[in-house]
Amino acid sequence: MAKILFNNLQVPSISFASSHLLSLLAAGRITGLVLDCGHLETTVLPIYAARPLYPQLQTTPLAGARFSSHLRALLLLFGTYLPPPTSLSAAANIPVATRSTRVPEEVLTEAVIEELKTRICFVGEALDMSDSNMQSPPADDSMEMDAPPSDFAMSESDFSRVSADLQSNMSSQQAPESDYSVVSHSQAISNLDRPQPGETHLQALAKLYMRHSTATDLRIRVEPPASQQVGTGRGTLIVPGWIRERAAEVLFEGGDVDESSVAEVVLESLLKAPVDLRKTLASSILVTGGTPMLPGFIPRLQTELLRAVSPNPNNPSSSWSPNRRASRPMSYERYSALRSLVPYFAILNHPSPPPPATPRAAASAGKAPAFSPAALAWVGGSLAGALKSGGVEITREKWDEAEAHTNPDESMEQPMDPNAHTTYNLLPDWTRTPLPVGAPPAVIRSQPAIAPASPQTTVGA
């Protein structure tokens, strides 16, 4: 990287720094817990006094790519597609319910999925399953207006080819165990919403979310497949409101060892952090990345943190289902050691923080500048570069001297051997740089010497 920056781009100087630390600098802090939810993975890194604590780093693959794959699968299963009419008379005479079909895979391109994520999707509030056991209201027929006759015998494994990394060997009569199994086994399904005979977990989950969703269905104009481009205009993709609201549940439904939820990786990092730093880190949580730009992501994250640490055994956001807890004589609560941190949880860039419970949380909740979560690392890098505070700086002059000293007889026009490994001692290991010099030690005042007592004279001597 340094060779490309210096030799090809001719930059004057470079300095290596962690993107988590730069995001924290943009918020005006040097100590905090940074959660970076990007496209491929979500990482959580504690930082203390501008020093990243890499042994406490936690990662999970639940990020933007998993959200996109889950959204695509939900649209293939429950979405509706209206192909373009063959003529203007057909558009006026043929009813919409007659023309509606399942969503073709060719319609859901990466550009369409990205547009749906950025324009219409949001994160809904956590469902509360404690109200009268979730009594089911009368069925709502408003969702059936444009819905095509669905073949419910098809499981989610039939649509596993929408993602390159999905491989499922389950048949259509079995419960889906593919990339979205963390949602199909969601803890939000109450006893009244259990799958009925002949009904899969995804269908029961869709019925539950449809019942408690207030979002409206939206119609998006999309390019029709190549076989349907003989019609007039473009096709119409109908996105159900509950998919807009609940597609992001895949990020908050954890429970797997290798696929922890976004809230679980934060708590796991706090468990690995030193005990005397937990309150400081819990009260200075910073959320960065492109996926947290979804409306409602940060408030939902704080709700999930509090519910995961909550001692309520009927907590539906826990990583273990109530059935599994009831079958155990002694339930194990992994995050019980973090219950004392509940009053201290505070997110620096929370758009509407709840009333703080402690002065430390009041000093941090929502106090970060109103930068976009995706731009925090870039703003922090600009600040660190302008203030020369990003770490050890390597100038181009020193790089040229070190390169000439290492290979004095090698010409610039001579092609370099890709197998040759050249070591430059100029680049520092920024992960092991010494800690910044803190405040000077306190001056210990010397106490005045006490005169020794004179020896007593024996009476009668």
Side-chain angles (χ1 to χ4, degrees):
M1 291 177 59
K3 187 181 300 182
I4 294 175
L5 290 174
F6 280 124
N7 298 341
N8 296 68
L9 301 180
Q10 300 293 321
V11 298
S13 63
I14 61 174
S15 178
F16 294 93
S18 172
S19 61
H20 298 78
L21 176 58
L22 297 180
S23 301
L24 201 60
L25 293 179
R29 304 295 179 96
I30 59 174
T31 299
L33 187 68
V34 183
L35 182 144
D36 185 3
C37 186
H39 180 70
L40 295 179
E41 64 178 0
T42 299
T43 59
V44 177
L45 179 64
I47 297 176
Y48 180 75
R51 179 75 173 182
L53 306 179
Y54 290 102
Q56 284 76 35
L57 177 69
Q58 294 292 323
T59 62
T60 178
L62 299 183
R66 181 63 60 85
F67 175 47
S68 300
S69 301
H70 185 64
L71 176 61
R72 181 183 288 109
L74 289 180
L75 291 175
L76 290 174
L77 286 170
F78 305 103
T80 306
Y81 175 69
L82 302 179
T86 56
S87 62
L88 296 179
S89 59
N93 299 329
I94 299 179
V96 174
T98 306
R99 293 191 296 115
S100 59
T101 61
R102 282 189 174 273
V103 180
E105 293 185 25
E106 297 82 1
V107 170
L108 299 179
T109 60
E110 294 183 1
V112 172
I113 293 297
E114 192 67 24
E115 183 180 5
L116 296 179
K117 287 170 53 179
T118 56
R119 292 185 57 186
I120 68 174
C121 289
F122 63 97
V123 181
E125 297 181 355
L127 294 179
D128 188 6
M129 298 297 160
S130 61
D131 297 339
S132 65
N133 292 330
M134 297 296 295
Q135 297 180 359
S136 57
D140 187 7
D141 297 335
S142 60
M143 302 292 295
E144 301 178 359
M145 179 178 61
D146 295 332
S150 301
D151 183 13
F152 288 110
M154 302 179 68
S155 68
E156 189 177 355
S157 59
D158 297 329
F159 299 94
S160 60
R161 57 185 179 274
V162 300
S163 180
D165 58 341
L166 294 183
Q167 295 181 357
S168 177
N169 297 325
M170 304 299 293
S171 61
S172 60
Q173 286 79 16
Q174 294 176 344
E177 295 289 345
S178 62
D179 196 12
Y180 317 109
S181 58
V182 291
V183 175
S184 63
H185 296 282
S186 172
Q187 314 306 328
I189 302 179
S190 62
N191 294 329
L192 296 178
D193 294 312
R194 293 294 178 184
Q196 302 299 326
E199 188 180 37
T200 63
H201 285 277
L202 271 180
Q203 296 166 17
L205 191 65
K207 182 176 63 176
L208 171 67
Y209 287 154
M210 191 183 305
R211 181 184 305 153
H212 299 93
S213 176
T214 58
T216 57
D217 300 355
L218 291 183
R219 302 191 177 200
I220 306 297
R221 291 287 185 178
V222 294
E223 292 292 336
S227 60
Q228 298 178 356
Q229 290 183 356
V230 296
T232 58
R234 297 191 295 175
T236 302
L237 176 63
I238 301 178
V239 183
W242 68 269
I243 293 182
R244 297 174 48 213
E245 183 178 1
R246 297 299 171 181
E249 292 294 320
V250 67
L251 303 177
F252 300 97
E253 295 290 343
D256 194 350
V257 176
D258 298 327
E259 296 184 354
S260 302
S261 67
V262 177
E264 287 175 350
V265 291
V266 175
L267 298 177
E268 291 290 341
S269 182
L270 287 175
L271 281 178
K272 296 180 66 176
V275 179
D276 54 346
L277 295 183
R278 289 179 180 177
K279 289 184 180 180
T280 304
L281 297 176
S283 59
S284 302
I285 301 176
L286 184 65
V287 183
T288 67
T291 305
M293 294 181 65
L294 289 171
F297 182 93
I298 296 180
R300 176 65 183 276
L301 174 62
Q302 182 157 9
T303 302
E304 293 294 332
L305 289 175
L306 297 178
R307 294 176 65 177
V309 183
S310 174
N312 185 8
N314 298 324
N315 186 4
S317 67
S318 178
S319 302
W320 299 272
S321 62
N323 294 336
R324 210 180 298 178
R325 284 188 176 185
S327 61
R328 295 180 179 179
M330 296 181 60
S331 60
Y332 170 69
E333 297 181 0
R334 179 170 179 80
Y335 307 117
S336 59
L338 302 178
R339 289 177 185 170
S340 60
L341 302 179
V342 171
Y344 297 95
F345 277 115
I347 300 179
L348 294 173
N349 53 343
H350 198 299
S352 55
T358 58
R360 182 176 295 183
S364 301
K367 300 301 182 180
F371 293 120
S372 171
L376 282 173
W378 299 96
V379 175
S382 178
L383 290 174
L387 301 177
K388 304 296 183 181
S389 60
V392 181
E393 183 181 8
I394 303 100
T395 61
R396 184 164 174 262
E397 290 77 10
K398 292 184 178 180
W399 173 267
D400 293 338
E401 292 177 2
E403 192 175 28
H405 179 72
T406 305
N407 299 320
D409 299 330
E410 185 177 2
S411 176
M412 295 296 294
E413 289 79 9
Q414 182 179 357
M416 298 183 61
D417 186 6
N419 298 325
H421 180 71
T422 305
T423 303
Y424 292 99
N425 297 326
L426 183 65
L427 291 179
D429 188 358
W430 57 272
T431 62
R432 292 178 173 85
T433 54
L435 292 175
V437 180
V443 179
I444 302 177
R445 297 181 178 179
S446 58
Q447 298 180 355
I450 301 177
S454 57
Q456 297 182 354
T457 305
T458 306
V459 179

